[in-house]
Amino acid sequence: MAERGTVHLWLVDAAAAGVITVMHTIMVFDHDYGGPKWFGVLLALAIGPPIAVRRRWPLPVWTVVLVASAVATAVHLMLEPYSALAFALYLVALATPANRAVPALALSLAVPLVTLPLVESSLTDAIGLVVVVWLVQGAVWTAGVALRKQRAGLARERDRQAQQALADERLRIARELHDIVAHSMSVISVKAAVANHVAETHPDEARAALAVIEQTSRQALTELRTMLGVLRSSVDDASLAPSVGGLAALAEQARLAGVRVDLTESGTQALPEGIMLAVHRIVQESLTNVVRHAAPAHCTVRVDADAKHVLVEVLDDGPGTRTLPRPGPGTGHGLIGMRERVALYDGTFEAGPRPGGGFAVRAALPYREDA
Protein backbone atom coordinates (compact mmCIF):
# COMPACT_ATOMS: atom_id res chain seq x y z
CA MET A 1 0.00 0.00 0.00
CA ALA A 2 2.85 2.39 0.74
CA GLU A 3 4.37 1.83 -2.70
CA ARG A 4 1.04 2.51 -4.39
CA GLY A 5 0.67 5.74 -2.38
CA THR A 6 4.17 6.82 -3.43
CA VAL A 7 3.33 6.21 -7.09
CA HIS A 8 0.23 8.36 -6.71
CA LEU A 9 2.30 11.21 -5.27
CA TRP A 10 4.74 11.03 -8.17
CA LEU A 11 1.81 11.13 -10.59
CA VAL A 12 0.44 14.22 -8.85
CA ASP A 13 3.84 15.91 -9.16
CA ALA A 14 4.05 15.00 -12.84
CA ALA A 15 0.58 16.41 -13.45
CA ALA A 16 1.45 19.63 -11.60
CA ALA A 17 4.66 19.94 -13.60
CA GLY A 18 2.76 19.54 -16.84
CA VAL A 19 0.14 22.14 -15.92
CA ILE A 20 2.76 24.67 -14.82
CA THR A 21 4.84 24.11 -17.94
CA VAL A 22 1.85 24.56 -20.28
CA MET A 23 0.66 27.63 -18.38
CA HIS A 24 4.04 29.35 -18.52
CA THR A 25 4.58 28.41 -22.17
CA ILE A 26 1.24 29.98 -23.09
CA MET A 27 2.36 33.13 -21.26
CA VAL A 28 5.50 33.27 -23.39
CA PHE A 29 3.53 33.38 -26.63
CA ASP A 30 0.65 35.52 -25.35
CA HIS A 31 2.74 38.15 -23.60
CA ASP A 32 5.23 40.34 -25.41
CA TYR A 33 8.00 40.80 -22.89
CA GLY A 34 10.48 42.17 -25.39
CA GLY A 35 12.76 39.13 -25.56
CA PRO A 36 13.14 36.11 -27.85
CA LYS A 37 10.48 33.43 -27.57
CA TRP A 38 13.05 30.65 -27.26
CA PHE A 39 14.41 32.26 -24.10
CA GLY A 40 10.91 32.42 -22.63
CA VAL A 41 10.30 28.76 -23.49
CA LEU A 42 13.64 27.87 -21.89
CA LEU A 43 12.56 29.62 -18.69
CA ALA A 44 9.21 27.81 -18.77
CA LEU A 45 11.04 24.48 -19.09
CA ALA A 46 13.29 25.45 -16.18
CA ILE A 47 10.30 26.22 -13.95
CA GLY A 48 7.74 23.49 -14.74
CA PRO A 49 9.35 20.09 -15.44
CA PRO A 50 11.64 20.07 -12.34
CA ILE A 51 8.50 19.93 -10.16
CA ALA A 52 8.02 16.33 -11.35
CA VAL A 53 11.18 15.24 -9.49
CA ARG A 54 10.93 17.47 -6.43
CA ARG A 55 10.57 14.43 -4.15
CA ARG A 56 13.85 12.99 -5.42
CA TRP A 57 15.90 16.20 -5.26
CA PRO A 58 13.93 18.77 -3.24
CA LEU A 59 16.72 21.31 -2.66
CA PRO A 60 18.20 21.31 -6.22
CA VAL A 61 14.70 21.57 -7.71
CA TRP A 62 13.86 24.49 -5.42
CA THR A 63 17.10 26.24 -6.43
CA VAL A 64 16.43 25.87 -10.17
CA VAL A 65 12.81 27.00 -9.84
CA LEU A 66 13.75 29.98 -7.65
CA VAL A 67 16.41 31.24 -10.07
CA ALA A 68 14.25 30.70 -13.18
CA SER A 69 11.23 32.37 -11.56
CA ALA A 70 13.35 35.35 -10.46
CA VAL A 71 14.77 35.79 -13.98
CA ALA A 72 11.35 35.42 -15.62
CA THR A 73 9.88 38.02 -13.27
CA ALA A 74 12.78 40.43 -13.73
CA VAL A 75 12.38 40.42 -17.53
CA HIS A 76 8.62 41.02 -17.21
CA LEU A 77 7.73 37.59 -18.59
CA MET A 78 5.68 35.95 -15.86
CA LEU A 79 2.28 37.43 -15.11
CA GLU A 80 1.59 34.91 -12.32
CA PRO A 81 4.99 34.64 -10.60
CA TYR A 82 6.32 32.15 -8.04
CA SER A 83 3.43 29.65 -8.14
CA ALA A 84 5.85 26.83 -9.01
CA LEU A 85 8.17 27.95 -6.22
CA ALA A 86 5.51 27.09 -3.65
CA PHE A 87 5.50 23.47 -4.88
CA ALA A 88 9.28 23.26 -4.60
CA LEU A 89 9.49 25.01 -1.22
CA TYR A 90 6.97 22.65 0.34
CA LEU A 91 9.20 19.62 -0.29
CA VAL A 92 12.24 21.49 1.01
CA ALA A 93 10.42 22.18 4.29
CA LEU A 94 9.13 18.60 4.43
CA ALA A 95 12.24 16.63 3.51
CA THR A 96 15.25 18.71 4.59
CA PRO A 97 16.52 19.63 8.07
CA ALA A 98 15.91 23.04 9.60
CA ASN A 99 19.41 24.35 8.83
CA ARG A 100 18.46 24.14 5.12
CA ALA A 101 14.72 24.69 5.26
CA VAL A 102 14.96 28.04 7.09
CA PRO A 103 17.44 29.64 4.64
CA ALA A 104 15.29 28.36 1.78
CA LEU A 105 12.28 30.16 3.24
CA ALA A 106 14.30 33.34 3.72
CA LEU A 107 15.43 33.34 0.09
CA SER A 108 11.92 32.46 -1.12
CA LEU A 109 10.70 35.62 0.62
CA ALA A 110 13.63 37.85 -0.26
CA VAL A 111 13.77 37.20 -4.01
CA PRO A 112 10.13 38.21 -4.69
CA LEU A 113 10.70 41.34 -2.61
CA VAL A 114 13.45 42.36 -5.03
CA THR A 115 11.90 41.26 -8.33
CA LEU A 116 8.17 41.90 -7.98
CA PRO A 117 8.48 45.75 -7.79
CA LEU A 118 10.00 45.49 -11.28
CA VAL A 119 6.70 44.04 -12.59
CA GLU A 120 4.28 46.55 -11.12
CA SER A 121 4.53 50.23 -11.80
CA SER A 122 2.44 51.06 -8.74
CA LEU A 123 4.14 50.71 -5.38
CA THR A 124 0.86 49.75 -3.76
CA ASP A 125 0.24 46.97 -6.28
CA ALA A 126 3.82 45.77 -5.86
CA ILE A 127 3.48 45.62 -2.07
CA GLY A 128 0.17 43.78 -2.36
CA LEU A 129 1.69 41.24 -4.73
CA VAL A 130 4.66 40.74 -2.44
CA VAL A 131 2.37 40.16 0.54
CA VAL A 132 0.34 37.58 -1.38
CA VAL A 133 3.49 35.73 -2.46
CA TRP A 134 4.84 35.85 1.09
CA LEU A 135 1.60 34.45 2.49
CA VAL A 136 1.61 31.58 0.01
CA GLN A 137 5.29 30.76 0.52
CA GLY A 138 4.98 31.00 4.29
CA ALA A 139 1.88 28.83 4.35
CA VAL A 140 3.35 26.00 2.29
CA TRP A 141 6.63 26.14 4.23
CA THR A 142 4.77 25.97 7.55
CA ALA A 143 2.68 23.05 6.31
CA GLY A 144 5.80 21.18 5.21
CA VAL A 145 7.59 21.73 8.53
CA ALA A 146 4.48 20.71 10.49
CA LEU A 147 4.13 17.50 8.52
CA ARG A 148 7.85 16.75 8.95
CA LYS A 149 7.54 17.17 12.73
CA GLN A 150 4.44 15.00 12.75
CA ARG A 151 6.25 12.25 10.87
CA ALA A 152 9.21 12.52 13.22
CA GLY A 153 6.84 12.16 16.15
CA LEU A 154 5.22 9.13 14.56
CA ALA A 155 8.66 7.60 13.97
CA ARG A 156 9.54 8.10 17.63
CA GLU A 157 6.24 6.56 18.64
CA ARG A 158 6.89 3.56 16.39
CA ASP A 159 10.30 3.14 18.02
CA ARG A 160 8.71 3.29 21.45
CA GLN A 161 6.09 0.75 20.42
CA ALA A 162 8.82 -1.49 19.03
CA GLN A 163 10.66 -1.36 22.35
CA GLN A 164 7.43 -2.06 24.21
CA ALA A 165 6.66 -4.94 21.86
CA LEU A 166 10.09 -6.38 22.59
CA ALA A 167 9.47 -6.16 26.33
CA ASP A 168 6.02 -7.73 25.92
CA GLU A 169 7.54 -10.48 23.80
CA ARG A 170 10.04 -11.31 26.51
CA LEU A 171 7.24 -11.47 29.07
CA ARG A 172 5.33 -13.75 26.74
CA ILE A 173 8.34 -16.02 26.38
CA ALA A 174 8.59 -16.10 30.18
CA ARG A 175 5.00 -17.38 30.27
CA GLU A 176 5.91 -19.95 27.62
CA LEU A 177 8.78 -21.16 29.79
CA HIS A 178 6.43 -21.48 32.75
CA ASP A 179 3.96 -23.50 30.70
CA ILE A 180 6.66 -25.82 29.39
CA VAL A 181 8.22 -26.42 32.81
CA ALA A 182 4.92 -26.77 34.69
CA HIS A 183 3.44 -29.25 32.23
CA SER A 184 6.55 -31.38 31.87
CA MET A 185 7.42 -31.43 35.57
CA SER A 186 3.85 -32.42 36.46
CA VAL A 187 4.05 -35.44 34.17
CA ILE A 188 7.54 -36.30 35.44
CA SER A 189 6.43 -35.96 39.07
CA VAL A 190 3.44 -38.26 38.62
CA LYS A 191 5.39 -40.93 36.74
CA ALA A 192 8.30 -40.74 39.20
CA ALA A 193 5.89 -41.40 42.06
CA VAL A 194 4.46 -44.37 40.15
CA ALA A 195 7.94 -45.76 39.42
CA ASN A 196 8.97 -45.39 43.06
CA HIS A 197 5.79 -47.11 44.24
CA VAL A 198 5.99 -50.16 41.96
CA ALA A 199 9.78 -50.43 41.54
CA GLU A 200 10.03 -53.63 43.62
CA THR A 201 6.68 -55.28 42.97
CA HIS A 202 6.14 -54.37 39.29
CA PRO A 203 9.47 -53.57 37.65
CA ASP A 204 7.93 -53.53 34.17
CA GLU A 205 5.57 -50.70 35.17
CA ALA A 206 8.48 -48.90 36.79
CA ARG A 207 10.50 -49.11 33.58
CA ALA A 208 7.51 -47.86 31.58
CA ALA A 209 7.17 -44.89 33.94
CA LEU A 210 10.89 -44.12 33.59
CA ALA A 211 10.54 -44.25 29.81
CA VAL A 212 7.77 -41.65 30.01
CA ILE A 213 9.98 -39.51 32.26
CA GLU A 214 12.84 -39.78 29.75
CA GLN A 215 10.62 -38.83 26.80
CA THR A 216 8.95 -35.93 28.62
CA SER A 217 12.18 -34.50 29.96
CA ARG A 218 13.86 -34.71 26.54
CA GLN A 219 10.96 -32.88 24.91
CA ALA A 220 10.97 -30.24 27.66
CA LEU A 221 14.72 -29.69 27.21
CA THR A 222 14.24 -29.25 23.46
CA GLU A 223 11.54 -26.63 23.97
CA LEU A 224 13.62 -24.87 26.64
CA ARG A 225 16.64 -24.69 24.33
CA THR A 226 14.43 -23.22 21.62
CA MET A 227 13.06 -20.56 23.95
CA LEU A 228 16.49 -19.69 25.32
CA GLY A 229 17.80 -19.37 21.78
CA VAL A 230 15.02 -16.90 21.05
CA LEU A 231 15.95 -14.87 24.13
CA ARG A 232 19.62 -14.77 23.12
CA SER A 233 18.92 -13.68 19.54
CA SER A 234 16.04 -11.30 20.41
CA VAL A 235 14.04 -12.42 17.37
CA ASP A 236 10.36 -13.14 17.11
CA ASP A 237 9.57 -16.75 17.95
CA ALA A 238 6.18 -16.80 16.21
CA SER A 239 7.45 -19.34 13.72
CA LEU A 240 8.55 -21.57 16.61
CA ALA A 241 5.21 -21.44 18.40
CA PRO A 242 3.37 -24.76 18.84
CA SER A 243 0.37 -25.21 16.56
CA VAL A 244 -3.08 -26.58 17.27
CA GLY A 245 -1.87 -29.73 15.56
CA GLY A 246 0.20 -30.34 18.70
CA LEU A 247 -2.92 -30.90 20.80
CA ALA A 248 -2.75 -34.62 20.06
CA ALA A 249 0.75 -34.74 21.57
CA LEU A 250 -0.50 -32.97 24.71
CA ALA A 251 -3.34 -35.44 25.01
CA GLU A 252 -0.94 -38.36 24.62
CA GLN A 253 1.34 -37.00 27.35
CA ALA A 254 -1.64 -36.69 29.69
CA ARG A 255 -2.65 -40.28 28.90
CA LEU A 256 0.85 -41.46 29.79
CA ALA A 257 0.41 -39.72 33.15
CA GLY A 258 -2.78 -41.67 33.86
CA VAL A 259 -5.50 -39.38 32.49
CA ARG A 260 -7.94 -40.72 29.92
CA VAL A 261 -8.29 -37.96 27.34
CA ASP A 262 -10.88 -37.68 24.58
CA LEU A 263 -9.82 -34.98 22.12
CA THR A 264 -12.03 -33.51 19.40
CA GLU A 265 -11.14 -30.51 17.25
CA SER A 266 -12.67 -28.97 14.17
CA GLY A 267 -11.95 -25.96 11.97
CA THR A 268 -8.53 -25.37 13.51
CA GLN A 269 -6.42 -25.64 10.37
CA ALA A 270 -6.79 -21.98 9.35
CA LEU A 271 -6.38 -20.36 12.78
CA PRO A 272 -3.89 -17.45 13.02
CA GLU A 273 -0.59 -18.24 14.74
CA GLY A 274 -1.36 -16.15 17.83
CA ILE A 275 -4.74 -17.82 18.33
CA MET A 276 -3.19 -21.24 17.73
CA LEU A 277 -0.58 -20.59 20.40
CA ALA A 278 -3.21 -19.38 22.88
CA VAL A 279 -5.35 -22.46 22.29
CA HIS A 280 -2.33 -24.75 22.66
CA ARG A 281 -1.30 -23.20 25.97
CA ILE A 282 -4.84 -23.17 27.38
CA VAL A 283 -5.21 -26.88 26.66
CA GLN A 284 -1.70 -27.58 27.94
CA GLU A 285 -2.26 -25.77 31.23
CA SER A 286 -5.69 -27.37 31.68
CA LEU A 287 -4.30 -30.87 31.15
CA THR A 288 -1.41 -30.06 33.50
CA ASN A 289 -3.94 -29.20 36.21
CA VAL A 290 -5.83 -32.43 35.56
CA VAL A 291 -2.62 -34.47 35.81
CA ARG A 292 -1.54 -32.61 38.94
CA HIS A 293 -4.83 -32.54 40.83
CA ALA A 294 -7.27 -35.06 39.37
CA ALA A 295 -5.39 -38.08 37.95
CA PRO A 296 -6.53 -40.74 37.43
CA ALA A 297 -9.52 -39.16 35.78
CA HIS A 298 -11.40 -38.91 32.51
CA CYS A 299 -10.95 -35.66 30.59
CA THR A 300 -12.73 -34.30 27.52
CA VAL A 301 -11.00 -31.69 25.37
CA ARG A 302 -13.00 -29.93 22.66
CA VAL A 303 -11.66 -27.25 20.32
CA ASP A 304 -14.18 -25.91 17.83
CA ALA A 305 -13.38 -23.03 15.44
CA ASP A 306 -15.46 -21.23 12.87
CA ALA A 307 -14.84 -18.10 10.80
CA LYS A 308 -15.25 -15.74 13.76
CA HIS A 309 -14.15 -17.40 16.99
CA VAL A 310 -12.69 -20.55 18.53
CA LEU A 311 -14.14 -22.32 21.55
CA VAL A 312 -11.96 -24.32 23.94
CA GLU A 313 -13.48 -26.61 26.55
CA VAL A 314 -11.64 -28.94 28.93
CA LEU A 315 -13.79 -31.00 31.31
CA ASP A 316 -12.69 -33.64 33.80
CA ASP A 317 -14.50 -35.84 36.30
CA GLY A 318 -11.75 -35.88 38.91
CA PRO A 319 -12.23 -35.15 42.61
CA GLY A 320 -11.47 -31.46 42.19
CA THR A 321 -11.92 -29.30 45.26
CA ARG A 322 -13.78 -32.03 47.19
CA THR A 323 -10.67 -33.89 48.36
CA LEU A 324 -7.68 -32.03 46.93
CA PRO A 325 -6.38 -28.46 47.54
CA ARG A 326 -7.24 -27.41 44.00
CA PRO A 327 -7.38 -23.73 43.02
CA GLY A 328 -10.77 -22.08 43.28
CA PRO A 329 -12.74 -20.73 40.34
CA GLY A 330 -10.57 -18.61 38.10
CA THR A 331 -7.61 -18.46 40.52
CA GLY A 332 -4.12 -19.92 40.62
CA HIS A 333 -1.05 -18.95 38.61
CA GLY A 334 -1.85 -21.22 35.69
CA LEU A 335 -5.46 -20.08 35.50
CA ILE A 336 -4.35 -16.45 35.66
CA GLY A 337 -2.03 -17.09 32.72
CA MET A 338 -4.88 -18.62 30.74
CA ARG A 339 -7.15 -15.69 31.59
CA GLU A 340 -4.46 -13.24 30.43
CA ARG A 341 -4.06 -15.05 27.11
CA VAL A 342 -7.80 -14.92 26.48
CA ALA A 343 -7.96 -11.25 27.50
CA LEU A 344 -5.36 -10.39 24.84
CA TYR A 345 -7.96 -11.30 22.23
CA ASP A 346 -10.95 -9.75 24.07
CA GLY A 347 -12.33 -13.21 24.67
CA THR A 348 -14.20 -14.78 27.57
CA PHE A 349 -12.80 -17.24 30.10
CA GLU A 350 -14.29 -19.20 32.97
CA ALA A 351 -12.94 -21.98 35.15
CA GLY A 352 -14.33 -23.73 38.20
CA PRO A 353 -15.77 -26.92 39.72
CA ARG A 354 -18.52 -28.69 37.82
CA PRO A 355 -21.87 -29.22 39.57
CA GLY A 356 -21.62 -33.00 39.27
CA GLY A 357 -17.95 -33.13 40.24
CA GLY A 358 -14.74 -32.45 38.44
CA PHE A 359 -13.48 -29.22 36.96
CA ALA A 360 -14.25 -27.22 33.82
CA VAL A 361 -12.24 -24.73 31.79
CA ARG A 362 -13.99 -22.85 29.00
CA ALA A 363 -12.58 -20.11 26.75
CA ALA A 364 -13.88 -18.30 23.69
CA LEU A 365 -11.44 -16.31 21.53
CA PRO A 366 -12.80 -14.11 18.74
CA TYR A 367 -10.62 -13.51 15.70
CA ARG A 368 -10.71 -12.40 12.08
CA GLU A 369 -9.72 -14.74 9.28
CA ASP A 370 -7.33 -12.09 7.94
CA ALA A 371 -5.66 -11.54 11.34
Side-chain angles (χ1 to χ4, degrees), residues 34-48:
K37 297 298 183 183
W38 65 264
F39 183 69
V41 173
L42 183 63
L43 289 175
L45 294 177
I47 292 173

Side-chain angles (χ1 to χ4, degrees), residues 2-85:
E3 292 181 356
R4 182 180 299 176
T6 301
V7 170
H8 288 169
L9 291 175
W10 280 91
L11 291 176
V12 170
D13 289 348
V19 171
I20 293 173
T21 302
V22 171
M23 181 183 67
H24 284 72
T25 303
I26 292 174
M27 289 181 183
V28 172
F29 290 97
D30 285 351
H31 179 62
D32 186 11
Y33 71 99
K37 297 298 183 183
W38 65 264
F39 183 69
V41 173
L42 183 63
L43 289 175
L45 294 177
I47 292 173
I51 297 299
V53 293
R54 60 175 183 156
R55 298 182 188 277
R56 182 70 177 271
W57 300 290
L59 201 58
V61 167
W62 167 82
T63 303
V64 171
V65 173
L66 177 66
V67 173
S69 298
V71 172
T73 305
V75 299
H76 295 254
L77 175 62
M78 299 306 169
L79 302 179
E80 194 274 319
Y82 300 109
S83 58
L85 185 61

Side-chain angles (χ1 to χ4, degrees), residues 258-308:
V259 177
R260 290 171 291 133
V261 181
D262 292 332
L263 170 66
T264 59
E265 55 179 301
S266 63
T268 57
Q269 293 78 10
L271 287 176
E273 284 187 348
I275 294 289
M276 293 171 75
L277 175 60
V279 170
H280 185 102
R281 293 311 186 196
I282 290 171
V283 173
Q284 183 182 51
E285 185 65 34
S286 299
L287 290 177
T288 298
N289 286 338
V290 175
V291 170
R292 184 183 301 160
H293 301 295
H298 178 260
C299 180
T300 300
V301 179
R302 182 172 70 93
V303 180
D304 186 15
D306 57 25
K308 295 182 178 179

